[in-house]
Amino acid sequence: MLLPNTPLTRLRSADQPEQFQLPGDRVLARWVAPGARIELLPTPYDPDLALENWGPLTDCRAAVWRIDAHTLLTRVQFSAGLPEGVVGGYDGGQALAAITVEDRGTRLPLGGADEEAICRAADWGEVPRRWAGLVDEVDDHSSSTWGVDYGHYHGMSWTLPPLQAGDHCELPLVAAWAPATDDCANTWYAVMASPTLLLSQVTRAERWTQGSARQRQQLPLHI
């Protein structure tokens, strides 16, 4: 479960997914099926790039997907698509799957974990520990049944290795944009974030919000 220690307020919804209000005006979406529970947390994200080295971002948004398997799942796929008619270009790197869309005014990369990063995530508990042993398959796609598909650069999809009952997997997705005239790599570095980093920033923001609310309650009233 994403943010297990955070208070959730169920929002009224007649349809799936269930929605929960988090402190800080974030909304968590949850789908529950017989074989799995899936959660999606969209959130603002501050990549904390040093402004003395990088130009300022226009904005940055992130999302964390989590799936908890209740039974064996041999094929799980997540995807992130661009709007119809929009085509990006490959912009990945080591441990990063990314495509970038750019026009005369704005440059926007969309980034997430590539196969190598998914294997490394086992060290952080973000994916099953045994996935660390799949790193040898990263460079050999001839027999691999999982990985990242760039879909002719209309978006990206992640097909995961099999999940067993009791397994969980967390995947990040980050979009950052800045003026296209800024030729530094600030947006590219901004989309390199792990689920653990994204969730820790959400938790810090919630603590700040709750702390500020308590301080406001303690302030004396002057009438």
Side-chain angles (χ1 to χ4, degrees):
M1 180 184 298
L2 292 173
L3 303 174
N5 298 319
T6 299
L8 302 177
T9 302
R10 189 187 300 271
L11 300 176
R12 288 188 177 183
S13 176
D15 303 317
Q16 290 287 342
E18 296 178 283
Q19 293 186 329
F20 299 87
Q21 183 74 55
L22 280 71
D25 294 328
R26 294 172 174 84
V27 175
L28 173 73
R30 178 182 296 163
W31 295 260
V32 179
R37 177 179 62 201
I38 302 170
E39 293 181 329
L40 172 62
L41 176 63
T43 179
Y45 171 54
D46 180 6
D48 195 24
L49 299 175
L51 293 182
E52 60 268 24
N53 299 321
W54 308 104
L57 299 172
T58 303
D59 206 348
C60 188
R61 298 284 166 163
V64 179
W65 283 100
R66 175 171 172 131
I67 180 167
D68 290 277
H70 300 156
T71 187
L72 173 64
L73 303 175
T74 58
R75 183 177 175 82
V76 175
Q77 189 175 77
F78 293 94
S79 62
L82 297 174
E84 185 176 353
V86 176
V87 180
Y90 175 79
D91 203 10
Q94 186 175 12
L96 176 67
I99 57 177
T100 292
V101 179
E102 185 171 343
D103 60 18
R104 294 181 179 178
T106 302
R107 180 179 66 257
L108 186 154
L110 184 68
D114 70 358
E115 293 88 349
E116 181 182 355
I118 289 173
C119 294
R120 289 181 179 179
D123 294 333
W124 297 90
E126 297 165 351
V127 304
R129 180 62 190 155
R130 65 181 180 280
W131 287 11
L134 301 177
V135 69
D136 292 337
E137 299 181 11
V138 170
D139 296 322
D140 181 11
H141 299 283
S142 60
S143 59
S144 179
T145 59
W146 65 279
V148 183
D149 182 357
Y150 291 88
H152 303 291
Y153 308 114
H154 294 287
M156 294 181 290
S157 64
W158 289 262
T159 301
L160 303 180
L163 289 159
Q164 298 177 2
D167 284 346
H168 79 270
C169 174
E170 295 173 356
L171 282 178
L173 184 68
V174 184
W177 54 102
T181 53
D182 186 345
D183 59 359
C184 74
N186 56 350
T187 52
W188 192 81
Y189 280 99
V191 301
M192 301 175 67
S194 70
T196 298
L197 177 61
L198 294 172
L199 294 176
S200 67
Q201 190 173 105
V202 172
T203 301
R204 289 197 303 270
E206 290 168 354
R207 289 173 180 168
W208 184 89
T209 300
Q210 293 170 358
S212 297
R214 285 193 293 269
Q215 290 177 354
R216 288 195 297 270
Q217 291 172 357
Q218 295 170 2
L219 290 175
L221 294 178
H222 299 282
I223 301 176

